[in-house]
Amino acid sequence: MTAARPQVPFFPPDLFAADRGLMLDLLQRIGRAPEQRFVLGEHTRRLEELLRERYGAADVVACGSGTSALTLVLGALGIGAGDEVVVPALGCAPLAACVTGVGAVPVFADVDPHTLTVDPCQVERRITVRTAAVMPAHLFSAMADMPRFVDLARRRGVRLVEDSAVAQGAVLDGRPAGLWGEAGVYSFVQVKSFGMPGEGGAVVTRDADLGRRVRMLRNHGQDGHRRFVHHLVGHNSRFDEIQAAFQCRRLAGLSARLRRRTAIAEHYTEQLAPLAAYGVRTPPPGREGGCPYVYTVLAERRNRLARHLRRHGVDSHVYYPLPLPHQPAFAPYTAPGDRWPHAERAARHMLSLPLYPHLTDGQVNRVVAAVKDFVRH
């Protein structure tokens, strides 16, 4: 019945089509500039300045990716061998891989069954004398309960690192995502809210000294003033000048894109929340602490719903089909018999619907209609 109808793709094939001319112009101008500066130049400095002003941070350090940004934060905090870092059991691999990358041990805590972000009570249960930091992560369309994590870190004397990679532009209690812990990170990979056609990310912090250490670590331990003097054993996580110029130009439109994402997410929730009685549960409603990056429902018949949507011309996507402690790479860091029931259940039922700014109203309504049609059959 739907073979002739156009698809509603999950990943938009024309994501940067409107910016093609801008990118080609930047390639020409920066590529032919006499200084031949392709990393960590004036455009990167300008992007960092714009983001500092926008979010009220003490420092913003542009990095090669959100993953490397997280690694640099852990390194700048001195976390390493012999330390433990409590991370969510549900989420992307870098949550645990960055911890192992600095020589520390990831300890997995279960998530809240509704928000799917890590549960502060479960995190506190996992804290031991070896715990150096806790690292909550915002997930899909909800921020973690950062006020409780601030209190928890203070009471237990551990560092607080905020994985805010998916939550740029989100605000909770008047404070932007990324500025609740000692440092946070943003990711600029193409499908993120401030995505670009390539890899990139940033560290954001209210601690200028921490920002200075991250800045050295991203460039082989150099301080940016004297080349070939290495104060720290660092990394290569330098930001691309063409991408920095591209992001500087696109930053002005970020608020409008976030508003469109929010409007789509709110429409999904308004229309689909009544389907909870039929085994399709929407994310928490409301804008406070909301980050409309990916719209994920919990469906009792997840695979059947995905097939139904596909037949009706709507693409969907399953993120994180295994909790992190069930991944072969991270299983060695778990104890026999340990369980994370909410993360395990979520991994079986999560299904993400299309959510990006240039979805038309017609496409959004088509997604809604297809999900409603599923519960009627």
Short mmCIF file of all heavy atoms in Angstrom, two decimals, residues 80-130:
data_model
loop_
_atom_site.label_atom_id
_atom_site.label_comp_id
_atom_site.label_asym_id
_atom_site.label_seq_id
_atom_site.Cartn_x
_atom_site.Cartn_y
_atom_site.Cartn_z
N GLY A 80 42.96 8.36 36.62
CA GLY A 80 43.79 7.38 35.93
C GLY A 80 43.80 6.04 36.64
O GLY A 80 42.82 5.64 37.27
N ALA A 81 44.92 5.35 36.55
CA ALA A 81 45.05 4.00 37.08
C ALA A 81 44.70 3.96 38.56
O ALA A 81 45.11 4.82 39.34
CB ALA A 81 46.47 3.50 36.87
N GLY A 82 43.92 2.95 38.93
CA GLY A 82 43.50 2.78 40.32
C GLY A 82 42.20 3.48 40.65
O GLY A 82 41.63 3.24 41.73
N ASP A 83 41.71 4.33 39.75
CA ASP A 83 40.46 5.05 39.99
C ASP A 83 39.28 4.32 39.37
O ASP A 83 39.43 3.57 38.40
CB ASP A 83 40.53 6.46 39.38
CG ASP A 83 41.54 7.35 40.08
OD1 ASP A 83 41.75 7.17 41.30
OD2 ASP A 83 42.12 8.23 39.41
N GLU A 84 38.11 4.58 39.92
CA GLU A 84 36.85 4.13 39.33
C GLU A 84 36.03 5.35 38.95
O GLU A 84 36.08 6.38 39.62
CB GLU A 84 36.06 3.27 40.31
CG GLU A 84 36.71 1.95 40.67
CD GLU A 84 35.92 1.16 41.70
OE1 GLU A 84 34.97 1.72 42.29
OE2 GLU A 84 36.25 -0.03 41.90
N VAL A 85 35.26 5.22 37.88
CA VAL A 85 34.34 6.27 37.46
C VAL A 85 32.98 5.61 37.24
O VAL A 85 32.87 4.65 36.47
CB VAL A 85 34.81 6.95 36.16
CG1 VAL A 85 33.80 8.01 35.73
CG2 VAL A 85 36.19 7.58 36.34
N VAL A 86 31.95 6.10 37.92
CA VAL A 86 30.61 5.53 37.79
C VAL A 86 29.94 6.16 36.58
O VAL A 86 29.84 7.38 36.46
CB VAL A 86 29.77 5.76 39.04
CG1 VAL A 86 28.41 5.05 38.92
CG2 VAL A 86 30.50 5.26 40.29
N VAL A 87 29.49 5.30 35.66
CA VAL A 87 28.89 5.75 34.40
C VAL A 87 27.55 5.06 34.20
O VAL A 87 27.26 4.06 34.84
CB VAL A 87 29.83 5.44 33.21
CG1 VAL A 87 31.19 6.09 33.40
CG2 VAL A 87 29.98 3.93 33.01
N PRO A 88 26.71 5.57 33.30
CA PRO A 88 25.42 4.92 33.04
C PRO A 88 25.61 3.55 32.39
O PRO A 88 26.52 3.34 31.59
CB PRO A 88 24.72 5.87 32.07
CG PRO A 88 25.43 7.18 32.24
CD PRO A 88 26.83 6.84 32.57
N ALA A 89 24.70 2.64 32.70
CA ALA A 89 24.71 1.33 32.06
C ALA A 89 24.11 1.39 30.66
O ALA A 89 24.26 0.43 29.89
CB ALA A 89 23.95 0.32 32.91
N LEU A 90 23.43 2.48 30.33
CA LEU A 90 22.78 2.62 29.04
C LEU A 90 23.32 3.87 28.35
O LEU A 90 23.32 4.96 28.93
CB LEU A 90 21.27 2.76 29.22
CG LEU A 90 20.42 2.77 27.95
CD1 LEU A 90 20.43 1.41 27.28
CD2 LEU A 90 18.98 3.18 28.28
N GLY A 91 23.79 3.70 27.13
CA GLY A 91 24.29 4.85 26.39
C GLY A 91 25.35 4.43 25.40
O GLY A 91 25.51 3.26 25.06
N CYS A 92 26.12 5.43 24.93
CA CYS A 92 27.10 5.18 23.88
C CYS A 92 28.41 4.65 24.47
O CYS A 92 28.74 4.91 25.63
CB CYS A 92 27.35 6.44 23.07
SG CYS A 92 28.01 7.81 24.04
N ALA A 93 29.14 3.92 23.65
CA ALA A 93 30.38 3.27 24.09
C ALA A 93 31.41 4.23 24.70
O ALA A 93 32.11 3.86 25.64
CB ALA A 93 31.01 2.50 22.93
N PRO A 94 31.56 5.47 24.20
CA PRO A 94 32.57 6.36 24.80
C PRO A 94 32.40 6.60 26.29
O PRO A 94 33.37 6.93 26.97
CB PRO A 94 32.40 7.66 24.00
CG PRO A 94 31.89 7.21 22.67
CD PRO A 94 30.98 6.05 22.97
N LEU A 95 31.19 6.45 26.81
CA LEU A 95 31.00 6.62 28.25
C LEU A 95 31.94 5.73 29.04
O LEU A 95 32.49 6.14 30.07
CB LEU A 95 29.55 6.31 28.64
CG LEU A 95 28.51 7.37 28.35
CD1 LEU A 95 27.11 6.79 28.48
CD2 LEU A 95 28.69 8.55 29.29
N ALA A 96 32.11 4.50 28.58
CA ALA A 96 33.01 3.57 29.27
C ALA A 96 34.40 3.57 28.66
O ALA A 96 35.41 3.48 29.37
CB ALA A 96 32.43 2.15 29.22
N ALA A 97 34.48 3.70 27.33
CA ALA A 97 35.77 3.62 26.66
C ALA A 97 36.70 4.76 27.07
O ALA A 97 37.92 4.57 27.20
CB ALA A 97 35.58 3.64 25.14
N CYS A 98 36.16 5.96 27.27
CA CYS A 98 37.00 7.08 27.71
C CYS A 98 37.59 6.83 29.09
O CYS A 98 38.72 7.24 29.36
CB CYS A 98 36.19 8.37 27.72
SG CYS A 98 35.70 8.95 26.09
N VAL A 99 36.83 6.16 29.92
CA VAL A 99 37.33 5.84 31.26
C VAL A 99 38.49 4.85 31.17
O VAL A 99 39.55 5.04 31.78
CB VAL A 99 36.19 5.28 32.13
CG1 VAL A 99 36.72 4.83 33.49
CG2 VAL A 99 35.10 6.33 32.31
N THR A 100 38.30 3.80 30.39
CA THR A 100 39.39 2.83 30.25
C THR A 100 40.58 3.45 29.53
O THR A 100 41.73 3.06 29.76
CB THR A 100 38.92 1.59 29.47
OG1 THR A 100 38.61 1.94 28.12
CG2 THR A 100 37.69 0.97 30.12
N GLY A 101 40.31 4.43 28.66
CA GLY A 101 41.39 5.07 27.92
C GLY A 101 42.36 5.84 28.78
O GLY A 101 43.52 6.06 28.38
N VAL A 102 41.93 6.29 29.96
CA VAL A 102 42.86 6.97 30.88
C VAL A 102 43.37 6.02 31.95
O VAL A 102 44.03 6.45 32.91
CB VAL A 102 42.19 8.22 31.52
CG1 VAL A 102 41.84 9.25 30.45
CG2 VAL A 102 40.98 7.84 32.35
N GLY A 103 43.05 4.73 31.82
CA GLY A 103 43.56 3.73 32.75
C GLY A 103 42.68 3.46 33.94
O GLY A 103 43.04 2.68 34.83
N ALA A 104 41.50 4.10 34.00
CA ALA A 104 40.58 3.90 35.12
C ALA A 104 39.58 2.79 34.79
O ALA A 104 39.59 2.22 33.69
CB ALA A 104 39.87 5.20 35.45
N VAL A 105 38.72 2.50 35.75
CA VAL A 105 37.76 1.40 35.62
C VAL A 105 36.35 1.96 35.59
O VAL A 105 35.94 2.70 36.50
CB VAL A 105 37.90 0.41 36.80
CG1 VAL A 105 36.80 -0.65 36.75
CG2 VAL A 105 39.27 -0.24 36.78
N PRO A 106 35.55 1.63 34.54
CA PRO A 106 34.15 2.05 34.53
C PRO A 106 33.31 1.16 35.44
O PRO A 106 33.46 -0.06 35.43
CB PRO A 106 33.75 1.89 33.07
CG PRO A 106 34.63 0.79 32.56
CD PRO A 106 35.93 0.90 33.32
N VAL A 107 32.44 1.79 36.21
CA VAL A 107 31.50 1.07 37.07
C VAL A 107 30.10 1.48 36.61
O VAL A 107 29.78 2.67 36.56
CB VAL A 107 31.71 1.44 38.54
CG1 VAL A 107 30.65 0.77 39.41
CG2 VAL A 107 33.11 1.04 38.99
N PHE A 108 29.27 0.50 36.29
CA PHE A 108 28.00 0.78 35.62
C PHE A 108 26.86 0.88 36.63
O PHE A 108 26.70 0.01 37.49
CB PHE A 108 27.71 -0.30 34.60
CG PHE A 108 28.76 -0.39 33.53
CD1 PHE A 108 29.72 -1.38 33.57
CD2 PHE A 108 28.80 0.54 32.50
CE1 PHE A 108 30.70 -1.47 32.59
CE2 PHE A 108 29.78 0.47 31.52
CZ PHE A 108 30.73 -0.53 31.56
N ALA A 109 26.05 1.94 36.49
CA ALA A 109 24.88 2.15 37.34
C ALA A 109 23.62 2.13 36.49
O ALA A 109 23.62 2.58 35.33
CB ALA A 109 24.99 3.48 38.08
N ASP A 110 22.54 1.64 37.06
CA ASP A 110 21.29 1.50 36.33
C ASP A 110 20.64 2.87 36.11
O ASP A 110 20.99 3.87 36.76
CB ASP A 110 20.34 0.57 37.07
CG ASP A 110 19.33 -0.11 36.14
OD1 ASP A 110 19.38 0.14 34.93
OD2 ASP A 110 18.50 -0.90 36.65
N VAL A 111 19.66 2.89 35.21
CA VAL A 111 19.03 4.14 34.80
C VAL A 111 17.63 4.25 35.37
O VAL A 111 17.04 3.27 35.83
CB VAL A 111 18.99 4.25 33.26
CG1 VAL A 111 20.40 4.22 32.69
CG2 VAL A 111 18.15 3.13 32.64
N ASP A 112 17.09 5.45 35.30
CA ASP A 112 15.70 5.69 35.64
C ASP A 112 14.83 5.08 34.53
O ASP A 112 15.10 5.27 33.35
CB ASP A 112 15.45 7.20 35.74
CG ASP A 112 14.01 7.52 36.07
OD1 ASP A 112 13.20 7.59 35.10
OD2 ASP A 112 13.68 7.70 37.24
N PRO A 113 13.77 4.35 34.88
CA PRO A 113 13.00 3.66 33.85
C PRO A 113 12.20 4.58 32.94
O PRO A 113 11.76 4.15 31.87
CB PRO A 113 12.07 2.75 34.65
CG PRO A 113 11.95 3.40 35.99
CD PRO A 113 13.28 4.04 36.24
N HIS A 114 12.01 5.83 33.35
CA HIS A 114 11.20 6.75 32.55
C HIS A 114 12.08 7.68 31.72
O HIS A 114 11.92 7.80 30.51
CB HIS A 114 10.28 7.55 33.46
CG HIS A 114 9.22 8.33 32.74
ND1 HIS A 114 8.70 7.96 31.52
CD2 HIS A 114 8.60 9.49 33.06
CE1 HIS A 114 7.79 8.84 31.13
NE2 HIS A 114 7.72 9.79 32.04
N THR A 115 13.03 8.36 32.36
CA THR A 115 13.90 9.29 31.62
C THR A 115 15.00 8.56 30.86
O THR A 115 15.56 9.11 29.91
CB THR A 115 14.56 10.29 32.57
OG1 THR A 115 15.48 9.60 33.43
CG2 THR A 115 13.52 11.03 33.40
N LEU A 116 15.36 7.36 31.30
CA LEU A 116 16.44 6.54 30.74
C LEU A 116 17.82 7.11 31.04
O LEU A 116 18.83 6.56 30.58
CB LEU A 116 16.27 6.32 29.24
CG LEU A 116 14.93 5.75 28.79
CD1 LEU A 116 14.94 5.49 27.28
CD2 LEU A 116 14.59 4.48 29.56
N THR A 117 17.90 8.20 31.80
CA THR A 117 19.19 8.72 32.24
C THR A 117 19.57 8.04 33.55
O THR A 117 18.72 7.48 34.25
CB THR A 117 19.15 10.24 32.44
OG1 THR A 117 18.16 10.57 33.42
CG2 THR A 117 18.82 10.94 31.13
N VAL A 118 20.84 8.08 33.89
CA VAL A 118 21.34 7.32 35.03
C VAL A 118 20.70 7.83 36.33
O VAL A 118 20.52 9.03 36.55
CB VAL A 118 22.87 7.37 35.08
CG1 VAL A 118 23.40 8.76 35.41
CG2 VAL A 118 23.43 6.32 36.02
N ASP A 119 20.34 6.89 37.19
CA ASP A 119 19.62 7.15 38.43
C ASP A 119 20.61 7.56 39.52
O ASP A 119 21.52 6.79 39.85
CB ASP A 119 18.87 5.88 38.84
CG ASP A 119 18.00 6.06 40.06
OD1 ASP A 119 18.26 6.96 40.87
OD2 ASP A 119 17.05 5.26 40.22
N PRO A 120 20.47 8.75 40.13
CA PRO A 120 21.41 9.17 41.18
C PRO A 120 21.51 8.18 42.33
O PRO A 120 22.59 7.98 42.89
CB PRO A 120 20.86 10.52 41.64
CG PRO A 120 20.08 11.02 40.47
CD PRO A 120 19.49 9.80 39.82
N CYS A 121 20.39 7.55 42.70
CA CYS A 121 20.43 6.58 43.80
C CYS A 121 21.28 5.37 43.42
O CYS A 121 22.05 4.85 44.24
CB CYS A 121 19.02 6.14 44.17
SG CYS A 121 18.01 7.43 44.92
N GLN A 122 21.14 4.91 42.17
CA GLN A 122 21.94 3.78 41.72
C GLN A 122 23.42 4.15 41.62
O GLN A 122 24.29 3.32 41.89
CB GLN A 122 21.42 3.29 40.37
CG GLN A 122 20.01 2.73 40.41
CD GLN A 122 19.92 1.49 41.29
OE1 GLN A 122 20.81 0.65 41.29
NE2 GLN A 122 18.83 1.38 42.04
N VAL A 123 23.70 5.38 41.21
CA VAL A 123 25.09 5.84 41.17
C VAL A 123 25.69 5.83 42.56
O VAL A 123 26.81 5.34 42.77
CB VAL A 123 25.18 7.25 40.55
CG1 VAL A 123 26.57 7.84 40.75
CG2 VAL A 123 24.84 7.19 39.06
N GLU A 124 24.96 6.33 43.53
CA GLU A 124 25.51 6.39 44.90
C GLU A 124 25.78 4.99 45.44
O GLU A 124 26.75 4.79 46.18
CB GLU A 124 24.55 7.16 45.82
CG GLU A 124 25.15 7.41 47.18
CD GLU A 124 24.56 8.60 47.90
OE1 GLU A 124 23.46 9.04 47.54
OE2 GLU A 124 25.21 9.09 48.85
N ARG A 125 24.94 4.04 45.09
CA ARG A 125 25.17 2.66 45.53
C ARG A 125 26.50 2.11 45.00
O ARG A 125 27.07 1.20 45.60
CB ARG A 125 24.03 1.76 45.06
CG ARG A 125 22.72 1.95 45.78
CD ARG A 125 21.67 0.96 45.30
NE ARG A 125 22.12 -0.42 45.44
CZ ARG A 125 22.30 -1.27 44.43
NH1 ARG A 125 22.09 -0.87 43.18
NH2 ARG A 125 22.69 -2.51 44.64
N ARG A 126 26.96 2.63 43.88
CA ARG A 126 28.17 2.10 43.23
C ARG A 126 29.44 2.82 43.67
O ARG A 126 30.53 2.43 43.25
CB ARG A 126 28.02 2.22 41.71
CG ARG A 126 26.81 1.49 41.12
CD ARG A 126 27.03 0.00 41.04
NE ARG A 126 25.84 -0.69 40.53
CZ ARG A 126 25.85 -1.94 40.09
NH1 ARG A 126 26.98 -2.62 40.06
NH2 ARG A 126 24.74 -2.51 39.67
N ILE A 127 29.33 3.84 44.48
CA ILE A 127 30.51 4.58 44.91
C ILE A 127 31.27 3.78 45.96
O ILE A 127 30.68 3.23 46.91
CB ILE A 127 30.11 5.96 45.46
CG1 ILE A 127 29.60 6.84 44.32
CG2 ILE A 127 31.29 6.64 46.15
CD1 ILE A 127 29.09 8.20 44.76
N THR A 128 32.58 3.69 45.79
CA THR A 128 33.47 3.01 46.73
C THR A 128 34.61 3.95 47.09
O THR A 128 34.67 5.09 46.62
CB THR A 128 34.05 1.72 46.12
OG1 THR A 128 35.02 2.08 45.12
CG2 THR A 128 32.97 0.85 45.48
N VAL A 129 35.54 3.47 47.89
CA VAL A 129 36.70 4.29 48.26
C VAL A 129 37.58 4.56 47.05
O VAL A 129 38.42 5.48 47.08
CB VAL A 129 37.54 3.60 49.36
CG1 VAL A 129 36.74 3.50 50.65
CG2 VAL A 129 38.02 2.22 48.91
N ARG A 130 37.40 3.80 45.98
CA ARG A 130 38.22 4.01 44.77
C ARG A 130 37.55 4.95 43.75
O ARG A 130 38.15 5.28 42.73
CB ARG A 130 38.51 2.67 44.10
CG ARG A 130 39.38 1.74 44.94
CD ARG A 130 39.63 0.43 44.23
NE ARG A 130 38.39 -0.33 44.02
CZ ARG A 130 37.80 -1.07 44.95
NH1 ARG A 130 38.35 -1.18 46.16
NH2 ARG A 130 36.69 -1.73 44.69
#
